[in-house]
Amino acid sequence: MKYTGNVIKYGDNVDTDVIIPARYLNTSDHAELASHCMEDIDKSFVNRVKQGDIMVAGENFGCGSSREHAPIAIKASGISLVIAGSFARIFYRNAINIGLAIVECPAAAKEISEGDKVEADLDNGIIRDLTTGREYKTAPFPEFVQKIIENGGLMQSIVNGVI
């Protein structure tokens, strides 16, 4: 699994209520959720995010409630991959379940800057900042996680008989 995109960057402790504010939890429409993604901390996000962009964040990304709406909003906004120093465990699982690629890499999260172009080869656990030339190592995705993400999430993988 390879991803290439421009970076949109956030700091530590970005919680699910910041990713998608609770006032929008009455909808399950992915496009509607995407239109409000990150609006409480970054009003420009929805206007500048492009399909395939990569979100980079600090520690404890996705902390807060266990809502699936948060990774859905990120994925539906066009973000193809989230790299963070660490993730809240429930967010991590929810992201994989809906088919959003996420990877922990503390060094990359600290050193990659807003606007950098990044390439990630998650089969081999390599993240390259194409802007600076720096390379970071991370754990490759296990094959079963790759299959879940490639199939658009856990439910779709079950329906397709992949797992």
Side-chain angles (χ1 to χ4, degrees), residues 51-101:
Q51 194 67 37
D53 280 351
I54 295 173
M55 186 178 285
V56 177
E59 299 294 323
N60 201 28
F61 187 83
C63 57
S65 69
S66 62
R67 66 182 70 143
E68 293 86 2
H69 290 71
I72 289 170
I74 291 170
K75 183 179 177 186
S77 75
I79 295 292
S80 62
L81 169 67
V82 180
I83 300 168
S86 66
F87 291 94
R89 291 293 104 198
I90 291 176
F91 179 89
Y92 186 92
R93 192 65 196 148
N94 284 340
I96 299 300
N97 285 346
I98 63 102
L100 175 63

Side-chain angles (χ1 to χ4, degrees), residues 129-140:
D129 186 329
L130 301 175
T131 304
T132 65
R134 291 189 184 125
E135 187 171 287
Y136 308 92
K137 301 277 186 195
T138 187

Side-chain angles (χ1 to χ4, degrees), residues 25-162:
L25 298 183
N26 59 348
T27 184
S28 60
D29 179 83
H30 293 194
E32 179 69 13
L33 291 170
S35 74
H36 298 289
C37 189
M38 309 306 279
E39 75 180 21
D40 283 356
I41 62 166
D42 183 359
K43 297 230 183 271
S44 70
F45 174 79
V46 296
N47 294 318
R48 63 191 172 100
V49 66
K50 304 277 187 284
Q51 194 67 37
D53 280 351
I54 295 173
M55 186 178 285
V56 177
E59 299 294 323
N60 201 28
F61 187 83
C63 57
S65 69
S66 62
R67 66 182 70 143
E68 293 86 2
H69 290 71
I72 289 170
I74 291 170
K75 183 179 177 186
S77 75
I79 295 292
S80 62
L81 169 67
V82 180
I83 300 168
S86 66
F87 291 94
R89 291 293 104 198
I90 291 176
F91 179 89
Y92 186 92
R93 192 65 196 148
N94 284 340
I96 299 300
N97 285 346
I98 63 102
L100 175 63
I102 61 175
V103 64
E104 290 184 351
C105 187
K110 286 180 183 168
E111 295 178 12
I112 292 172
S113 297
E114 173 88 18
D116 285 1
K117 187 164 190 144
V118 168
E119 175 184 82
D121 175 352
L122 300 184
D123 294 338
N124 295 304
I126 299 169
I127 299 169
R128 289 181 191 90
D129 186 329
L130 301 175
T131 304
T132 65
R134 291 189 184 125
E135 187 171 287
Y136 308 92
K137 301 277 186 195
T138 187
F141 271 172
E143 187 176 335
F144 79 95
V145 172
Q146 290 178 35
K147 287 181 180 178
I148 291 171
I149 292 170
E150 287 169 359
N151 280 282
L154 181 60
M155 292 304 295
Q156 195 60 42
S157 295
I158 292 170
V159 168
N160 292 343
V162 175

